[in-house]
Amino acid sequence: MKTLVILGHPSADSLCGALAEAYTQAALQAGKEVRQIRLGDLQFDPVLHKGYTQIQPLEPDLLAAQQVLLWAEHLVFVYPIWWGAMPALMKGFIDRIFLSGFAFKYRVNSLQWDKLLAGRSAHLLVTMDSPPWYFRWIYRMPGHHQMKKTILEFSGVKPVRISSFGPVVGSTIKRREQWLGEVRRAAAA
């Protein structure tokens, strides 16, 4: 399986970075083709200065990211929940490359759209300082719904699996090793 691991945390020197690397190595050992994108290493403007009313040319790193995304059969996004959702860098990345004509295409004189990324699956590996049960039942998982429903499934990516790791704050080394083991097992499956 062609797998793309996208590190959405700005720093590779983070728990998310460790999870992305653990997934990548375990998938490679399982015989999968794996490529990785670290958003913190890319050079691009994450701001849509004119919204979607004017075409903003994609930087070379974003053009390359689109090509790798099209290559992939399985997408793995690794990122933290900050203020209920993904980091701004990751949101900017999605705003810039999940464009009409690439990720989806509206039909003429219709409320329907074509899902141009269909045929791919995804796994979200998400860290948070809240306990996952609290994020689910009290906050109602706004960041999870955003990625799963309004971005990935809107573009045709499904199924979308979500693994939540938390609370990170105050977690022990033993607990973090358990999370890394869970990620390795998922990658090898």
Side-chain angles (χ1 to χ4, degrees):
M1 178 179 285
K2 298 175 183 175
T3 302
L4 173 60
V5 178
I6 300 171
L7 176 58
H9 193 294
S11 174
D13 187 23
S14 61
L15 175 58
C16 286
L19 293 170
E21 194 57 31
Y23 191 100
T24 298
Q25 294 307 313
L28 286 169
Q29 289 174 0
K32 299 176 184 178
E33 289 182 71
V34 182
R35 295 186 186 170
Q36 194 178 84
I37 295 175
R38 294 179 178 180
L39 299 187
D41 293 344
L42 302 185
Q43 297 295 314
F44 72 99
D45 184 351
V47 178
L48 277 172
H49 294 280
K50 302 287 184 181
Y52 292 108
T53 61
Q54 186 175 350
I55 294 175
Q56 185 172 332
L58 296 179
E59 295 86 348
D61 282 350
L62 293 183
L63 290 169
Q66 280 186 329
Q67 292 308 305
V68 176
L69 204 144
L70 290 175
W71 165 85
E73 299 167 324
H74 184 64
L75 309 173
V76 179
F77 289 87
V78 187
Y79 60 96
I81 291 290
W82 291 346
W83 295 107
M86 68 188 81
L89 180 64
M90 186 166 146
K91 179 64 167 62
F93 174 78
I94 289 167
D95 285 348
R96 294 292 313 282
I97 72 165
F98 276 64
L99 301 169
S100 178
F102 176 77
F104 67 95
K105 183 178 181 185
Y106 289 119
R107 297 178 185 165
V108 178
N109 298 321
S110 174
L111 295 176
Q112 299 297 311
W113 65 97
D114 295 319
K115 300 174 180 188
L116 302 180
L117 298 180
R120 291 164 182 80
S121 59
H123 192 172
L124 312 179
L125 306 175
V126 186
T127 64
M128 59 187 70
D129 283 339
S130 299
W133 67 264
Y134 194 88
F135 188 69
R136 178 184 179 113
W137 297 109
I138 305 302
Y139 291 143
R140 301 289 199 202
M141 304 185 301
H144 289 0
H145 290 300
Q146 179 185 32
M147 272 298 288
K148 181 178 180 175
K149 299 285 184 190
T150 67
I151 296 170
L152 296 174
E153 288 180 356
F154 180 88
S155 301
V157 178
K158 64 186 335 186
V160 178
R161 182 175 166 213
I162 303 172
S163 298
S164 300
F165 304 100
V168 173
V169 65
S171 62
T172 63
I173 292 172
K174 180 181 178 183
R175 184 67 177 129
R176 290 179 183 216
E177 285 298 326
Q178 290 172 336
W179 293 334
L180 290 166
E182 184 178 330
V183 166
R184 287 183 191 105
R185 286 187 296 280

